[in-house]
Amino acid sequence: MSPEHGHPSFLPGPPVDRTTWEGWQRWCQTREDFVPAPVLTAEEFALKTRRQRRLYNLYRIATHSSLPIEATPMSESVAHAVRARVEEGAYSHKAGTRGGIMVNGDGAQGKTETVCEAMALFMEEWLNLHNYMNPDAMPGTRDLVAPVAYVRCPVKATPISTCQRILDFYGEDYKGMRLEDLIRTVKTAIIEHATKALVIDDITRLKLHREADQDVLDLIREMMSMPVTLVLVGVGIPTSGLLREGSRDQKSGEWVYPPVKDRGRSPNDHAASQHERRFQVVDLDPFRYGTAKEMRAWVTHLRRVEGHMRLLTATKGMLTCGDMPEYLFRRTGGVVGVLEKLIQRGLRLAIEDGSERLTKDLLNQFTVTPGDMPDLDAASGEQPNIPPHEPTSNKKARGRNTVFDDDGPEAAGSAG
């Protein structure tokens, strides 16, 4: 635990902005540095001083607020597809267009974190293979090596603002540049910084009813002629207009698109048909609960979450025994982001009311809403599929707030 003097070890440092090279690099280097609170029993907790108990409870809050993103069978499949596509482009000796990949999924599915983790692992391997240097660098050129660039699509995107976002990642100066200069500078930056993967998040901010959005789509197609693999992340990509209106094949599970009948109706039809040939589309789906295999995968995920919970009672089986797995699936629809928020709220309440245990009665006291997940991007259409919930009890917990109010070891010893 943290020392009695100085800053507690669980306090967060400066916020990380992954849309700059410095921020992306710092996130890659520190993403696994957080050390969760130690596991204590109620008896061990009761022996601590008032200040130590308060610090430990705050440490637990930090631990539960920083639950790691657990890999799921679905996210592992997506991560593998992304890594494969990027590696195919990065290790290719051909001068032609690199195929891109689009990661599609509903809100709170963990698309961004899955892609960022896959790209962080790729970058670490790539840098290690080249001794952290640019193998193609020439004397007098930049020595900043950025194998991965991560940007977010502007809310009201234009080719100019999109180029500026990319140049902001590298810290490039673009003051007074025209579009032609910006595009040329983007190409130069990607080549001279040895960027092999360009991630554009929230791509479905492009609505394509605006001419500027269609121009951005043309810009993205232009970028595919550069020696870089594009990784686009968004919600509802197959039906967004980025590709032609698509439907999923029931046998293969892949998205298929009807032939273009009349390219003259829309200035974007031809571009869309080119995009569908150049991009692979993969879906990050929620958990299912229909077969024995799907149920086992859900329970395995819940068991991993149990291992990160810090309550004064044993947490093994708290989420996986009895009908708790079915209840949690019913409450969350198998969406990992909704599950995380439900568990986080329940853990805080279990600490505050002194019960130190997650139960259905406790979880029934509140409902998770989209407002509980501020990280979702409404402009790109992220809306988590949260099943409706009718609480079985309106009775509110009225126990002590053990996070901030502590009356002494005797009261703490009764927790659990």
Side-chain angles (χ1 to χ4, degrees):
M1 194 149 103
S2 57
E4 284 292 318
H5 303 287
H7 295 292
S9 61
F10 57 81
L11 289 179
V16 176
D17 180 8
R18 290 186 290 205
T19 62
T20 67
W21 166 244
E22 292 78 11
W24 170 263
Q25 190 177 38
R26 186 156 66 89
W27 175 78
C28 290
Q29 294 171 347
T30 64
R31 69 189 191 279
E32 298 178 352
D33 283 359
F34 178 75
V35 178
V39 177
L40 295 182
T41 65
E43 292 75 17
E44 291 171 328
F45 180 82
L47 295 175
K48 294 187 174 295
T49 66
R50 178 186 177 109
R51 172 177 168 77
Q52 287 174 331
R53 286 195 298 273
R54 181 172 181 273
L55 285 174
Y56 179 69
N57 283 334
L58 290 173
Y59 198 171
R60 290 197 286 170
I61 295 298
T63 299
H64 298 152
S65 298
S66 308
L67 292 176
I69 304 297
E70 290 289 346
T72 68
M74 298 77 69
S75 68
E76 288 178 340
S77 176
V78 168
H80 178 270
V82 171
R83 280 283 299 274
R85 198 70 161 185
V86 170
E87 288 173 352
E88 288 168 3
Y91 293 102
S92 174
H93 290 259
K94 294 182 178 180
T97 298
R98 266 63 173 166
I101 187 166
M102 294 181 173
V103 178
N104 174 65
D106 291 332
Q109 289 290 105
K111 300 181 299 300
T112 296
E113 297 308 317
T114 297
V115 169
C116 286
E117 179 64 24
M119 290 298 90
L121 294 174
F122 164 77
M123 187 179 77
E124 290 165 359
E125 181 179 74
W126 181 265
L127 289 174
N128 185 55
L129 285 173
H130 294 95
N131 295 318
Y132 294 83
M133 295 188 299
N134 182 357
D136 301 319
M138 298 293 290
T141 61
R142 301 172 177 85
D143 56 3
L144 169 63
V145 184
V148 175
Y150 172 84
V151 300
R152 300 183 68 190
C153 182
V155 175
K156 290 187 177 180
T158 65
I160 289 178
S161 65
T162 303
C163 286
Q164 290 173 341
R165 284 286 180 95
I166 296 172
L167 295 177
D168 282 338
F169 179 86
Y170 299 109
E172 296 278 356
D173 181 22
Y174 50 77
K175 184 177 180 180
M177 288 188 182
R178 300 172 301 170
L179 178 58
E180 295 80 3
D181 300 324
L182 288 168
I183 295 175
R184 183 168 53 252
T185 305
V186 166
K187 289 183 177 180
T188 301
I190 286 174
I191 293 172
E192 294 193 353
H193 294 307
T195 301
K196 301 303 176 183
L198 172 59
V199 181
I200 304 180
D201 204 351
D202 300 323
I203 192 62
T204 41
R205 285 177 170 177
L206 299 179
K207 302 305 180 185
L208 300 185
H209 62 279
R210 299 169 59 244
E211 184 178 352
D213 288 1
Q214 295 181 12
D215 291 340
V216 173
L217 199 61
D218 291 337
L219 173 65
I220 290 173
R221 192 172 73 253
E222 173 70 16
M223 288 180 184
M224 296 188 76
S225 64
M226 307 178 195
V228 66
T229 299
L230 293 182
V231 182
L232 309 184
V233 184
V235 179
I237 286 177
T239 56
S240 66
L242 294 173
L243 304 167
R244 283 182 291 118
E245 191 80 7
S247 59
R248 186 179 289 187
D249 184 88
Q250 297 298 321
K251 293 183 178 180
S252 67
E254 297 182 352
W255 288 95
V256 294
Y257 305 91
V260 177
K261 295 181 179 179
D262 181 8
R263 288 177 178 162
R265 291 183 179 179
S266 168
N268 198 51
D269 276 344
H270 184 60
S273 65
Q274 286 185 317
H275 272 66
E276 74 190 47
R277 291 195 298 269
R278 293 175 174 180
F279 280 98
Q280 175 188 1
V281 181
V282 293
D283 289 292
L284 183 51
D285 294 321
F287 278 96
R288 307 295 181 191
Y289 204 70
T291 67
K293 181 179 179 181
E294 292 169 342
M295 294 178 185
R296 285 195 298 270
W298 176 245
V299 172
T300 298
H301 184 72
L302 295 178
R303 188 174 296 115
R304 290 173 178 169
V305 175
E306 284 178 348
H308 301 293
M309 293 175 5
R310 294 296 186 266
L311 297 176
L312 299 181
T313 55
T315 59
K316 185 177 181 180
M318 197 172 287
L319 305 180
T320 55
C321 289
D323 61 351
M324 197 64 161
E326 183 177 353
Y327 167 82
L328 291 172
F329 185 84
R330 189 169 63 250
R331 287 294 308 272
T332 65
V335 179
V336 292
V338 179
L339 173 69
E340 178 183 298
K341 186 56 62 175
L342 180 69
I343 297 300
Q344 286 175 341
R345 291 190 63 183
L347 289 169
R348 183 175 182 97
L349 182 57
I351 294 173
E352 289 179 344
D353 70 6
S355 63
E356 296 288 339
R357 189 167 187 82
L358 288 186
T359 65
K360 288 186 291 184
D361 286 340
L362 182 142
L363 295 175
N364 277 334
Q365 295 181 29
F366 53 82
T367 300
V368 176
T369 67
D372 295 317
M373 291 174 280
D375 292 337
L376 299 182
D377 180 64
S380 63
E382 284 196 320
Q383 184 71 20
N385 183 22
I386 304 177
H389 174 60
E390 294 295 335
T392 57
S393 172
N394 292 323
K395 184 178 180 181
K396 300 295 183 181
R398 299 184 181 277
R400 277 184 311 106
N401 186 329
T402 58
V403 179
F404 303 107
D405 303 322
D406 199 330
D407 296 331
E410 296 78 10
S414 63

